[in-house]
Amino acid sequence: HKSSASILQNPNIVEGYMNKIGEKSIRQKYQRRWFVLNIEKAELSYYKHEKEYRDGSARGVIDLKEVSEIQKNGKNFELITPSRVFKLQLLTDGDVDKWIIPLTTIRAQLANQSLSRGIDSIDESLNQTSINDDKQQLNHLQEKLSIREAENEHFKKNLNKLTEELETSKAILQQQQQNSLSSTSNLQNMLDLVKSKLEKANQNIENLELENKKLSQTQIEINSKLKEVNENANSYFNVNQQLQTELAQQRIFANKQKQSNESLNNQINEFEKKIEQQLNDFKSKEIEYNDNIKKIEQQKLELELNLRKEISQLKENQ
Protein backbone atom coordinates (compact mmCIF):
# COMPACT_ATOMS: atom_id res chain seq x y z
CA HIS A 1 0.00 0.00 0.00
CA LYS A 2 0.98 3.62 -0.17
CA SER A 3 2.92 5.25 2.68
CA SER A 4 0.75 5.13 5.80
CA ALA A 5 1.30 8.86 6.34
CA SER A 6 3.15 11.48 4.37
CA ILE A 7 4.00 15.13 4.98
CA LEU A 8 3.44 17.19 1.82
CA GLN A 9 5.46 20.17 0.75
CA ASN A 10 3.10 22.23 2.88
CA PRO A 11 4.49 21.63 6.42
CA ASN A 12 1.06 22.38 7.93
CA ILE A 13 -0.60 19.42 6.16
CA VAL A 14 -0.14 15.75 7.09
CA GLU A 15 -1.96 13.06 5.12
CA GLY A 16 -2.01 9.27 4.90
CA TYR A 17 -3.84 6.09 5.80
CA MET A 18 -4.96 5.03 9.28
CA ASN A 19 -7.62 2.61 10.49
CA LYS A 20 -10.87 3.82 12.05
CA ILE A 21 -13.93 2.27 13.70
CA GLY A 22 -17.19 3.70 12.36
CA GLU A 23 -19.62 5.40 14.74
CA LYS A 24 -22.43 2.92 13.87
CA SER A 25 -20.19 -0.14 13.62
CA ILE A 26 -21.75 -3.06 15.53
CA ARG A 27 -18.72 -5.37 15.35
CA GLN A 28 -16.28 -2.57 16.20
CA LYS A 29 -14.16 -3.50 13.17
CA TYR A 30 -11.40 -1.18 11.94
CA GLN A 31 -11.66 0.15 8.39
CA ARG A 32 -8.87 1.85 6.46
CA ARG A 33 -9.45 5.53 5.76
CA TRP A 34 -7.41 8.37 4.26
CA PHE A 35 -6.75 11.08 6.87
CA VAL A 36 -5.66 14.70 6.39
CA LEU A 37 -4.40 16.77 9.33
CA ASN A 38 -4.55 20.55 8.85
CA ILE A 39 -2.29 21.95 11.57
CA GLU A 40 -3.24 25.60 10.97
CA LYS A 41 -7.01 24.91 11.21
CA ALA A 42 -6.55 22.27 13.94
CA GLU A 43 -8.76 19.86 11.98
CA LEU A 44 -8.43 16.14 11.20
CA SER A 45 -10.63 15.13 8.23
CA TYR A 46 -11.07 11.62 6.86
CA TYR A 47 -12.05 10.09 3.52
CA LYS A 48 -12.78 6.61 2.19
CA HIS A 49 -9.66 6.76 0.01
CA GLU A 50 -7.14 9.24 -1.36
CA LYS A 51 -9.12 9.90 -4.56
CA GLU A 52 -12.11 10.99 -2.48
CA TYR A 53 -9.81 13.51 -0.76
CA ARG A 54 -8.59 14.83 -4.10
CA ASP A 55 -12.24 15.26 -5.15
CA GLY A 56 -12.76 17.36 -1.99
CA SER A 57 -15.62 15.44 -0.32
CA ALA A 58 -14.79 14.55 3.29
CA ARG A 59 -16.64 11.80 5.18
CA GLY A 60 -16.13 13.71 8.42
CA VAL A 61 -14.06 16.40 10.16
CA ILE A 62 -12.74 16.19 13.74
CA ASP A 63 -12.34 19.64 15.31
CA LEU A 64 -9.23 19.28 17.51
CA LYS A 65 -10.36 22.29 19.56
CA GLU A 66 -13.12 20.01 20.92
CA VAL A 67 -10.75 17.14 21.78
CA SER A 68 -10.43 16.98 25.56
CA GLU A 69 -8.01 14.02 25.71
CA ILE A 70 -5.92 11.67 23.57
CA GLN A 71 -5.69 8.14 24.98
CA LYS A 72 -3.00 5.92 23.40
CA ASN A 73 -2.52 2.16 23.74
CA GLY A 74 0.16 0.83 21.41
CA LYS A 75 -0.88 1.56 17.84
CA ASN A 76 -4.46 2.23 18.95
CA PHE A 77 -5.54 5.64 20.19
CA GLU A 78 -8.74 7.55 20.89
CA LEU A 79 -9.67 11.20 20.34
CA ILE A 80 -12.23 12.08 23.02
CA THR A 81 -14.73 14.90 22.32
CA PRO A 82 -17.94 15.87 24.18
CA SER A 83 -20.12 14.35 21.42
CA ARG A 84 -18.11 11.27 20.38
CA VAL A 85 -15.04 9.10 20.96
CA PHE A 86 -13.06 8.55 17.71
CA LYS A 87 -11.25 5.18 17.77
CA LEU A 88 -8.20 5.17 15.45
CA GLN A 89 -5.28 2.85 14.77
CA LEU A 90 -1.81 3.53 13.35
CA LEU A 91 -0.63 1.22 10.57
CA THR A 92 2.93 1.02 11.94
CA ASP A 93 4.82 1.98 15.09
CA GLY A 94 6.77 4.45 12.99
CA ASP A 95 3.62 6.51 12.43
CA VAL A 96 3.78 7.81 16.01
CA ASP A 97 5.89 10.85 15.09
CA LYS A 98 3.73 11.53 12.00
CA TRP A 99 0.35 11.49 13.72
CA ILE A 100 0.49 11.30 17.53
CA ILE A 101 3.19 13.94 18.03
CA PRO A 102 1.50 16.59 15.82
CA LEU A 103 -1.91 15.84 17.38
CA THR A 104 -0.67 16.13 20.96
CA THR A 105 1.35 19.23 20.10
CA ILE A 106 -1.73 20.92 18.57
CA ARG A 107 -3.76 20.08 21.69
CA ALA A 108 -1.07 21.52 23.93
CA GLN A 109 -0.93 24.73 21.88
CA LEU A 110 -4.74 25.07 21.90
CA ALA A 111 -4.87 24.56 25.66
CA ASN A 112 -2.11 27.16 26.13
CA GLN A 113 -3.97 29.64 23.93
CA SER A 114 -7.21 29.00 25.84
CA LEU A 115 -5.42 29.57 29.14
CA SER A 116 -3.85 32.79 27.89
CA ARG A 117 -7.23 34.07 26.71
CA GLY A 118 -8.68 33.24 30.11
CA ILE A 119 -5.92 35.18 31.90
CA ASP A 120 -6.38 38.15 29.56
CA SER A 121 -10.14 38.04 30.18
CA ILE A 122 -9.61 38.06 33.95
CA ASP A 123 -7.09 40.94 33.72
CA GLU A 124 -9.51 42.93 31.56
CA SER A 125 -12.36 42.27 33.98
CA LEU A 126 -10.21 43.41 36.92
CA ASN A 127 -9.24 46.62 35.13
CA GLN A 128 -12.92 47.42 34.53
CA THR A 129 -13.97 46.55 38.08
CA SER A 130 -14.23 49.52 40.42
CA ILE A 131 -14.13 49.56 44.23
CA ASN A 132 -17.94 49.78 44.30
CA ASP A 133 -18.42 46.56 42.22
CA ASP A 134 -20.79 44.19 43.97
CA LYS A 135 -19.86 40.91 45.57
CA GLN A 136 -21.53 38.86 42.88
CA GLN A 137 -19.18 40.09 40.15
CA LEU A 138 -16.09 39.30 42.26
CA ASN A 139 -17.44 35.84 43.09
CA HIS A 140 -17.91 35.30 39.35
CA LEU A 141 -14.28 36.25 38.77
CA GLN A 142 -13.19 33.83 41.50
CA GLU A 143 -15.19 31.03 39.89
CA LYS A 144 -13.65 31.90 36.54
CA LEU A 145 -10.19 31.86 38.11
CA SER A 146 -10.85 28.46 39.70
CA ILE A 147 -11.94 27.07 36.32
CA ARG A 148 -8.77 28.38 34.70
CA GLU A 149 -6.66 26.86 37.47
CA ALA A 150 -8.39 23.50 36.90
CA GLU A 151 -7.73 23.81 33.16
CA ASN A 152 -4.14 24.66 33.99
CA GLU A 153 -3.77 21.47 36.06
CA HIS A 154 -5.42 19.42 33.32
CA PHE A 155 -3.08 20.95 30.76
CA LYS A 156 -0.06 20.14 32.96
CA LYS A 157 -1.18 16.51 33.14
CA ASN A 158 -1.56 16.39 29.36
CA LEU A 159 1.91 17.91 28.95
CA ASN A 160 3.36 15.28 31.25
CA LYS A 161 1.56 12.61 29.25
CA LEU A 162 2.88 14.14 26.05
CA THR A 163 6.40 14.14 27.47
CA GLU A 164 6.07 10.45 28.32
CA GLU A 165 4.81 9.69 24.81
CA LEU A 166 7.66 11.67 23.30
CA GLU A 167 10.15 9.80 25.45
CA THR A 168 8.56 6.53 24.34
CA SER A 169 8.79 7.65 20.72
CA LYS A 170 12.42 8.58 21.28
CA ALA A 171 13.14 5.10 22.66
CA ILE A 172 11.39 3.49 19.68
CA LEU A 173 13.38 5.63 17.24
CA GLN A 174 16.64 4.81 19.03
CA GLN A 175 15.80 1.09 18.78
CA GLN A 176 15.04 1.48 15.09
CA GLN A 177 18.36 3.27 14.67
CA GLN A 178 20.20 0.31 16.21
CA ASN A 179 18.32 -2.25 14.09
CA SER A 180 18.65 -0.44 10.76
CA LEU A 181 22.03 1.12 9.95
CA SER A 182 20.82 2.05 6.48
CA SER A 183 18.24 4.49 7.93
CA THR A 184 20.62 6.21 10.38
CA SER A 185 20.26 9.62 8.81
CA ASN A 186 16.45 9.42 8.75
CA LEU A 187 16.32 8.29 12.37
CA GLN A 188 18.61 11.13 13.39
CA ASN A 189 16.20 13.58 11.81
CA MET A 190 13.37 11.94 13.74
CA LEU A 191 15.36 12.23 16.97
CA ASP A 192 15.99 15.89 16.25
CA LEU A 193 12.26 16.34 15.70
CA VAL A 194 11.50 14.63 19.02
CA LYS A 195 14.07 16.83 20.80
CA SER A 196 12.49 19.89 19.22
CA LYS A 197 9.05 18.81 20.44
CA LEU A 198 10.46 18.19 23.93
CA GLU A 199 12.01 21.66 23.95
CA LYS A 200 8.67 23.15 22.95
CA ALA A 201 6.93 21.17 25.68
CA ASN A 202 9.46 22.43 28.26
CA GLN A 203 8.91 25.97 27.01
CA ASN A 204 5.14 25.48 27.43
CA ILE A 205 5.74 24.32 31.01
CA GLU A 206 7.79 27.47 31.71
CA ASN A 207 4.99 29.55 30.23
CA LEU A 208 2.53 27.78 32.49
CA GLU A 209 4.64 28.61 35.54
CA LEU A 210 4.60 32.28 34.51
CA GLU A 211 0.84 32.12 34.07
CA ASN A 212 0.56 30.57 37.53
CA LYS A 213 2.41 33.55 38.99
CA LYS A 214 -0.02 35.87 37.21
CA LEU A 215 -2.94 33.86 38.59
CA SER A 216 -1.54 34.15 42.13
CA GLN A 217 -1.24 37.93 41.78
CA THR A 218 -4.76 38.06 40.37
CA GLN A 219 -5.99 36.07 43.38
CA ILE A 220 -4.40 38.60 45.76
CA GLU A 221 -6.10 41.49 43.95
CA ILE A 222 -9.46 39.70 44.03
CA ASN A 223 -9.12 39.04 47.79
CA SER A 224 -8.40 42.72 48.37
CA LYS A 225 -11.46 43.82 46.41
CA LEU A 226 -13.56 41.15 48.10
CA LYS A 227 -12.58 42.59 51.50
CA GLU A 228 -13.72 46.05 50.38
CA VAL A 229 -17.00 44.62 49.12
CA ASN A 230 -17.57 42.86 52.46
CA GLU A 231 -17.10 46.17 54.28
CA ASN A 232 -19.61 47.83 51.95
CA ALA A 233 -21.95 44.87 52.41
CA ASN A 234 -21.96 45.41 56.20
CA SER A 235 -23.00 49.02 55.66
CA TYR A 236 -25.70 47.93 53.22
CA PHE A 237 -26.88 45.36 55.79
CA ASN A 238 -27.48 48.03 58.45
CA VAL A 239 -29.47 50.18 56.01
CA ASN A 240 -31.41 47.11 54.96
CA GLN A 241 -32.30 46.35 58.59
CA GLN A 242 -33.76 49.84 59.01
CA LEU A 243 -35.74 49.44 55.79
CA GLN A 244 -37.03 46.06 56.99
CA THR A 245 -38.24 47.63 60.28
CA GLU A 246 -40.07 50.41 58.43
CA LEU A 247 -41.54 47.86 56.03
CA ALA A 248 -42.82 45.77 58.96
CA GLN A 249 -44.56 48.86 60.44
CA GLN A 250 -46.13 49.63 57.07
CA ARG A 251 -47.38 46.06 56.84
CA ILE A 252 -48.98 46.29 60.34
CA PHE A 253 -50.78 49.51 59.31
CA ALA A 254 -51.87 47.89 56.04
CA ASN A 255 -53.24 44.85 57.90
CA LYS A 256 -55.29 47.13 60.19
CA GLN A 257 -56.68 48.96 57.16
CA LYS A 258 -57.45 45.63 55.56
CA GLN A 259 -59.34 44.42 58.67
CA SER A 260 -61.34 47.69 58.78
CA ASN A 261 -62.22 47.36 55.10
CA GLU A 262 -63.30 43.76 55.61
CA SER A 263 -65.64 44.80 58.46
CA LEU A 264 -67.18 47.55 56.31
CA ASN A 265 -67.60 45.11 53.42
CA ASN A 266 -69.40 42.68 55.73
CA GLN A 267 -71.85 45.40 56.85
CA ILE A 268 -72.52 46.38 53.25
CA ASN A 269 -73.15 42.74 52.32
CA GLU A 270 -75.63 42.33 55.20
CA PHE A 271 -77.48 45.54 54.20
CA GLU A 272 -77.67 44.34 50.59
CA LYS A 273 -79.08 41.00 51.75
CA LYS A 274 -81.79 42.80 53.82
CA ILE A 275 -82.74 45.01 50.86
CA GLU A 276 -82.91 41.97 48.61
CA GLN A 277 -85.13 40.12 51.13
CA GLN A 278 -87.49 43.12 51.39
CA LEU A 279 -87.72 43.30 47.60
CA ASN A 280 -88.59 39.61 47.47
CA ASP A 281 -91.28 40.11 50.15
CA PHE A 282 -92.73 43.06 48.25
CA LYS A 283 -92.86 41.05 45.03
CA SER A 284 -94.58 38.21 46.86
CA LYS A 285 -97.19 40.60 48.33
CA GLU A 286 -97.69 42.23 44.93
CA ILE A 287 -98.47 38.84 43.41
CA GLU A 288 -100.93 38.08 46.26
CA TYR A 289 -102.61 41.50 45.81
CA ASN A 290 -103.06 40.91 42.06
CA ASP A 291 -104.58 37.51 42.77
CA ASN A 292 -107.07 39.09 45.22
CA ILE A 293 -108.05 41.75 42.67
CA LYS A 294 -108.75 39.04 40.11
CA LYS A 295 -110.93 37.16 42.62
CA ILE A 296 -112.90 40.34 43.49
CA GLU A 297 -113.48 41.13 39.80
CA GLN A 298 -114.68 37.56 39.30
CA GLN A 299 -117.08 37.89 42.22
CA LYS A 300 -118.28 41.24 40.85
CA LEU A 301 -119.11 39.63 37.52
CA GLU A 302 -120.96 36.82 39.19
CA LEU A 303 -123.03 39.30 41.27
CA GLU A 304 -123.90 41.33 38.17
CA LEU A 305 -125.08 38.19 36.43
CA ASN A 306 -127.18 37.12 39.39
CA LEU A 307 -128.64 40.64 39.69
CA ARG A 308 -129.62 40.66 36.01
CA LYS A 309 -131.30 37.30 36.38
CA GLU A 310 -133.36 38.48 39.35
CA ILE A 311 -134.39 41.67 37.53
CA SER A 312 -135.44 39.60 34.57
CA GLN A 313 -137.53 37.30 36.71
CA LEU A 314 -139.22 40.22 38.42
CA LYS A 315 -140.21 41.72 35.06
CA GLU A 316 -141.71 38.43 33.99
CA ASN A 317 -143.68 38.12 37.21
CA GLN A 318 -145.20 41.56 36.76
Side-chain angles (χ1 to χ4, degrees):
H1 60 79
K2 295 184 180 180
S3 172
S4 59
S6 62
I7 299 178
L8 300 182
Q9 292 180 354
N10 185 348
N12 292 316
I13 299 293
V14 179
E15 66 179 29
Y17 281 107
M18 284 193 293
N19 296 326
K20 171 182 169 296
I21 295 178
E23 183 179 12
K24 299 179 181 179
S25 176
I26 299 176
R27 297 182 180 180
Q28 295 290 295
K29 184 179 179 181
Y30 282 100
Q31 294 179 329
R32 186 160 297 185
R33 292 288 182 263
W34 183 264
F35 285 81
V36 177
L37 173 61
N38 190 318
I39 295 175
E40 285 185 338
K41 294 183 178 180
E43 291 178 350
L44 179 64
S45 54
Y46 53 90
Y47 309 79
K48 188 173 183 180
H49 41 66
E50 184 178 0
K51 184 178 182 301
E52 191 175 67
Y53 164 57
R54 304 304 173 193
D55 294 338
S57 54
R59 293 295 176 101
V61 178
I62 303 172
D63 188 353
L64 299 180
K65 291 186 289 294
E66 295 182 358
V67 174
S68 61
E69 187 177 359
I70 299 176
Q71 294 185 352
K72 185 175 178 296
N73 183 15
K75 291 192 293 186
N76 300 334
F77 67 100
E78 296 179 349
L79 301 179
I80 300 175
T81 70
S83 59
R84 180 180 170 187
V85 176
F86 294 87
K87 299 181 179 181
L88 308 177
Q89 184 184 65
L90 302 174
L91 299 187
T92 66
D93 291 332
D95 285 343
V96 170
D97 65 309
K98 297 176 182 178
W99 290 113
I100 301 300
I101 291 176
L103 288 171
T104 51
T105 301
I106 290 172
R107 280 200 60 252
Q109 291 174 347
L110 290 173
N112 194 23
Q113 291 172 5
S114 176
L115 183 61
S116 297
R117 286 195 296 270
I119 295 299
D120 292 339
S121 176
I122 291 174
D123 290 339
E124 183 178 352
S125 298
L126 285 173
N127 289 334
Q128 294 176 352
T129 302
S130 65
I131 295 178
N132 294 325
D133 283 344
D134 58 22
K135 189 173 182 179
Q136 183 178 1
Q137 291 176 330
L138 287 175
N139 286 336
H140 178 69
L141 288 176
Q142 277 195 313
E143 291 174 0
K144 197 172 183 181
L145 182 60
S146 299
I147 292 171
R148 293 305 175 188
E149 287 177 344
E151 291 178 352
N152 186 11
E153 289 298 322
H154 181 67
F155 178 57
K156 272 188 175 180
K157 290 179 181 178
N158 287 337
L159 278 179
N160 292 334
K161 201 171 181 180
L162 170 61
T163 302
E164 291 175 1
E165 291 177 355
L166 291 175
E167 290 293 343
T168 302
S169 301
K170 181 178 178 181
I172 293 172
L173 292 175
Q174 287 174 342
Q175 184 63 37
Q176 289 177 348
Q177 186 179 32
Q178 293 174 1
N179 296 335
S180 178
L181 296 176
S182 61
S183 60
T184 300
S185 176
N186 186 34
L187 289 174
Q188 185 60 46
N189 290 335
M190 291 182 180
L191 284 172
D192 291 339
L193 178 61
V194 170
K195 290 178 180 178
S196 175
K197 299 296 182 181
L198 281 172
E199 290 176 357
K200 288 182 179 179
N202 289 331
Q203 182 62 41
N204 286 334
I205 291 174
E206 291 178 0
N207 291 336
L208 277 175
E209 290 176 351
L210 292 175
E211 296 297 342
N212 277 332
K213 291 180 180 178
K214 290 183 180 179
L215 285 172
S216 298
Q217 183 62 35
T218 301
Q219 180 68 49
I220 293 172
E221 294 177 1
I222 287 177
N223 290 336
S224 175
K225 291 189 177 295
L226 187 58
K227 182 179 178 181
E228 294 177 0
V229 169
N230 285 331
E231 292 174 354
N232 291 333
N234 291 331
S235 176
Y236 296 151
F237 177 78
N238 293 331
V239 173
N240 187 46
Q241 286 292 102
Q242 295 177 359
L243 291 175
Q244 290 291 343
T245 302
E246 293 178 2
L247 180 60
Q249 294 175 351
Q250 291 293 332
R251 284 177 178 172
I252 293 171
F253 178 76
N255 288 332
K256 290 181 179 179
Q257 290 290 346
K258 182 178 179 181
Q259 292 174 357
S260 175
N261 290 338
E262 288 177 353
S263 175
L264 182 61
N265 288 332
N266 291 333
Q267 293 176 4
I268 292 173
N269 290 333
E270 291 178 0
F271 180 74
E272 288 178 346
K273 287 180 182 179
K274 289 181 180 179
I275 295 297
E276 185 177 359
Q277 183 63 39
Q278 290 177 359
L279 287 174
N280 290 333
D281 293 342
F282 177 78
K283 288 180 180 180
S284 176
K285 289 181 180 180
E286 184 180 11
I287 293 171
E288 184 180 354
Y289 175 76
N290 290 332
D291 290 340
N292 291 332
I293 288 175
K294 288 180 181 179
K295 288 180 181 178
I296 292 171
E297 289 179 349
Q298 181 67 31
Q299 291 175 357
K300 181 180 177 182
L301 289 173
E302 290 176 354
L303 289 172
E304 287 180 352
L305 287 174
N306 291 331
L307 182 62
R308 287 175 183 176
K309 285 180 181 181
E310 291 178 358
I311 292 172
S312 175
Q313 289 177 358
L314 289 172
K315 286 181 176 181
E316 289 177 357
N317 291 330
Q318 292 177 354

